[in-house]
């Protein structure tokens, strides 16, 4: 009987050792998984922080550009009311309001000359005859 008890005790010790080894392996795997999760969280946090900083820098750049534009617009108010122009060697005087009203090259061109070919031809920009009608102060 004693041999039987010793044999049973040895089997129980072996089983306990196997369970302890299994538990240690499971704890090791759980610790590794926890570390991997922590690393992923840290990486996600770093990415979110970088994205936030990039967005904040972009907003700051837009604010700076807007402020520069506001400052430039303040200078427009100090322009003279009568503007002297030299278009292809022909001198014109016109009011600032006339130039602002016209708004661009297309607005200065006769209706009959508004074809795509004409608007794309830059050689007309230096010929005063195409713009004389627009510079008559109103």
């Amino acid at each position: 009987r004693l041999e039987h008890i010793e044999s049973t005790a040895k089997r129980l010790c072996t089983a306990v050792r196997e369970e302890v080894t299994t538990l240690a392996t499971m704890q090791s795997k759980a610790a590794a998984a926890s570390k991997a999760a922590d690393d992923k969280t840290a990486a996600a946090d770093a990415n979110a922080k970088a994205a936030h900083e990039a967005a904040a820098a972009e907003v700051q750049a837009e604010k700076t550009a807007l402020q520069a534009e506001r400052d430039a617009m303040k200078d427009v108010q100090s322009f003279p009311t009568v503007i002297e122009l030299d278009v292809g060697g022909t001198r014109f005087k016109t009011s600032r309001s006339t130039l602002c009203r016209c708004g661009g090259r297309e607005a200065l061109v006769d209706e009959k000359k508004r074809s795509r070919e004409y608007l794309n031809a830059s050689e007309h920009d230096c010929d005063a005859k195409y713009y004389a009608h627009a510079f008559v102060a109103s």
Side-chain angles (χ1 to χ4, degrees), residues 85-92 124-129 131 135:
L85 301 169
D86 182 343
V87 179
T90 302
R91 298 181 65 77
F92 292 100
H124 294 293
D125 287 350
C126 63
D127 193 342
K129 71 180 180 183
Y131 297 101
F135 296 131

Side-chain angles (χ1 to χ4, degrees), residues 67-82:
Q67 187 59 45
E69 189 173 331
R70 284 182 184 151
D71 293 343
M73 291 186 77
K74 287 179 186 175
D75 292 340
V76 170
Q77 301 305 319
S78 66
F79 286 0
T81 55
V82 176

Side-chain angles (χ1 to χ4, degrees), residues 1-92:
R1 268 196 124 203
L2 187 58
E3 289 175 9
H4 177 65
I5 293 174
E6 284 179 358
S7 165
T8 303
K10 283 183 183 181
R11 281 188 301 200
L12 284 175
C13 284
T14 302
V16 168
R17 280 189 203 119
E18 287 174 359
E19 283 296 317
V20 168
T21 303
T22 302
L23 285 174
T25 302
M26 290 173 66
Q27 283 180 334
S28 175
K29 287 180 180 179
S34 178
K35 183 175 179 351
D38 289 346
D39 291 347
K40 283 184 181 179
T41 300
D45 288 347
N47 288 340
K49 183 179 179 182
H52 175 73
E53 289 172 355
E58 186 176 327
V59 168
Q60 185 58 41
E62 288 178 12
K63 284 182 179 179
T64 302
L66 181 59
Q67 187 59 45
E69 189 173 331
R70 284 182 184 151
D71 293 343
M73 291 186 77
K74 287 179 186 175
D75 292 340
V76 170
Q77 301 305 319
S78 66
F79 286 0
T81 55
V82 176
I83 309 287
E84 292 187 28
L85 301 169
D86 182 343
V87 179
T90 302
R91 298 181 65 77
F92 292 100

